[in-house]
Amino acid sequence: MNVIRNCNRRLPMLPALLPIVLLLTVVSTAPNARAQETPAKPCEAKTPVAEITQTFFLRSVTQPNDMNDIQTDLRNMFPHIKVFGVSTKNALSVRGTPDEVAAAQKMITELDQLRKIYRLTFTFTQFDAGKRTASQVYTLIAANNRRTTFKQGSRIPIVTGSFDNDTGKTNTQVQYQDVGLMIDSTAEALGEGLNLNSRIEQSSLAEEHSGVGPQDPMLRQAVIDVASSLTLGKPLVLGSLDIPGSTQKQEVSVEAELVR
């Protein structure tokens, strides 16, 4: 009987818990209901930006490759703009948004710069038994990344062939060979100095005669082909050679100065 009475006293407590459970259910579901009732905002359409066209005249372009390099750089950096070049006017026409055209103008200004100009002084010094006897100096003006060539000497005719024509006369084919001094150099700016590719050829007629024919001369030739790094204002020896049949030696050096 005690057990029955205890159970009867606990039963009336169950109805008191029902309002709390229902309240929690209502509170937890209310935010979801409000979220479902809120309508989604439609996507706002962006207003297109009007494009403009502007033409830029290049001041430092001297060759078509210079303009092509600037065009390629612009197209790679700004893929959405349109770039057209007019080589006869050294001009670039750019089409894009105002911000894109302004950025392109800044890059064109940075790229359209005058090339550096160097003065290259080549010195050929003669030594006899270790003593300096004579020297010759040749000065060239070289632009950055441009080839400069100097030649001094004579052109020697060399018979390359002959044939008889219909009239019975013999026609002779002749080619000419440059003999003397040739300097071929290309300067490339590198920080405060420069890289210099130099090819120096010296040739002369030899006293010996060719065994092919009396009209074919023998040539004596010396070649220096070297790539070097120069510090401005400091000479650098490119090479030296002994003169056959004597105690003389020739030394070749170069010095570079920035002109502009």
Side-chain angles (χ1 to χ4, degrees), residues 7-191:
C7 293
N8 291 336
R9 283 196 298 268
R10 293 175 180 174
L11 288 176
M13 297 176 61
L14 294 176
L17 296 175
L18 292 178
I20 299 176
V21 175
L22 293 176
L23 180 60
L24 291 175
T25 303
V26 172
V27 172
S28 61
T29 58
N32 292 333
R34 288 195 299 270
Q36 294 177 356
E37 294 175 358
T38 303
K41 294 183 179 180
C43 297
E44 297 180 357
K46 295 183 179 180
T47 304
V49 180
E51 294 184 343
I52 62 174
T53 301
Q54 190 169 349
T55 300
F56 303 96
F57 292 92
L58 307 178
R59 300 174 302 170
S60 306
V61 169
T62 57
Q63 295 186 359
N65 290 338
D66 297 337
M67 180 179 293
N68 292 337
D69 291 342
I70 296 177
Q71 283 184 266
T72 301
D73 197 5
L74 289 172
R75 288 168 179 166
N76 290 336
M77 296 302 296
F78 307 103
H80 299 295
I81 67 173
K82 296 180 180 180
V83 184
F84 302 93
V86 183
S87 59
T88 57
K89 300 294 185 181
N90 286 344
L92 290 176
S93 296
V94 180
R95 181 174 179 81
T97 64
D99 291 341
E100 292 172 340
V101 173
Q105 181 180 9
K106 180 180 178 182
M107 177 171 289
I108 291 173
T109 303
E110 294 174 351
L111 296 176
D112 186 23
Q113 299 292 332
L114 293 174
R115 290 181 178 271
K116 291 184 177 180
I117 303 296
Y118 298 96
R119 179 185 295 108
L120 305 177
T121 302
F122 291 87
T123 303
F124 296 76
T125 306
Q126 299 284 347
F127 293 91
D128 191 353
K131 295 182 180 179
R132 180 174 178 173
T133 58
S135 63
Q136 292 178 315
V137 178
Y138 302 90
T139 302
L140 309 179
I141 298 298
N144 184 35
N145 286 330
R146 287 290 181 264
R147 180 182 176 186
T148 302
T149 303
F150 170 85
K151 289 183 179 182
Q152 184 183 49
S154 304
R155 305 197 73 190
I156 304 300
I158 299 177
V159 177
T160 59
S162 62
F163 63 92
D164 297 331
N165 57 22
D166 297 337
T167 61
K169 295 183 179 180
T170 301
N171 292 335
T172 303
Q173 295 178 341
V174 179
Q175 290 184 355
Y176 290 86
Q177 175 69 37
D178 292 331
V179 176
L181 174 64
M182 191 274 290
I183 302 175
D184 191 340
S185 62
T186 302
E188 181 182 0
L190 179 65

